Amino acid sequence: MRDLSRRALFKIGLGLTGALTSYGLLRFLGYQSSPPTPTQFTLKSPQEYARGSVTAVPEARAYIGRDDNGLFAISAVCTHLGCTVNRADDGYACPCHGSQFNAGGFVLTGPARLPLDRLELTLASDGRVVLDTTKRVPADFRLAV
């Protein structure tokens, strides 16, 4: 094998650099983002939620509850750092940092300082419940059943 000159080594290095740069540029230009996460969820009919029940809606990171006044939705996103809260005895608990919320989503113990968000519920044209995770409502909001 013959000895390579400095000029030949430089040309090889320059060619490799150009090829790698082109590859990176093509990957960048061909980037396809993942589809947006849905924010509206069509659920069951209101009558399917028993009075006094709380039902998890994992795909929406929310809970649907029903009391004597109607249906309500509570976000399962902890207001401290965004972890998903779990149902606990008479409320909700954040597994990440220990925040505790009562059944209404209000803070019992921190580090969370804000209550869980209440989310809007409406009825679809077919009579099923629609949950919108982008719309906040007051804590006393209820969808009449």
Side-chain angles (χ1 to χ4, degrees):
M1 187 164 129
R2 65 176 211 188
D3 291 332
L4 293 174
S5 68
R6 279 190 260 170
R7 182 174 292 183
L9 282 174
F10 178 74
K11 286 181 181 178
I12 291 170
L14 194 59
L16 285 172
T17 301
L20 290 173
T21 301
S22 297
Y23 173 74
L25 182 61
L26 287 173
R27 284 197 42 130
F28 173 76
L29 293 175
Y31 174 76
Q32 294 182 10
S33 63
S34 48
T37 341
T39 59
Q40 286 195 345
F41 301 86
T42 303
L43 308 171
K44 303 184 273 185
S45 69
Q47 294 75 19
E48 294 184 53
Y49 296 96
R51 189 165 295 177
S53 70
V54 176
T55 306
V57 185
E59 64 274 15
R61 292 181 71 187
Y63 291 96
I64 304 295
R66 182 173 177 187
D67 59 17
D68 293 335
N69 299 319
L71 291 172
F72 60 91
I74 295 180
S75 173
V77 178
C78 181
T79 55
H80 176 233
L81 290 177
C83 297
T84 301
V85 298
N86 300 317
R87 281 289 287 152
D89 297 335
D90 228 15
Y92 307 90
C94 179
C96 299
H97 301 104
S99 293
Q100 300 285 321
F101 303 87
N102 69 12
F106 294 98
V107 178
L108 295 174
T109 60
R113 296 182 187 273
L114 298 172
L116 297 173
D117 289 327
R118 292 299 186 107
L119 306 173
E120 183 182 74
L121 294 175
T122 57
L123 288 178
S125 59
D126 64 0
R128 295 191 304 165
V129 176
V130 177
L131 168 65
D132 190 333
T133 58
T134 62
K135 295 184 179 172
R136 306 297 184 257
V137 295
D140 61 351
F141 172 85
R142 297 293 185 275
L143 179 66
V145 179

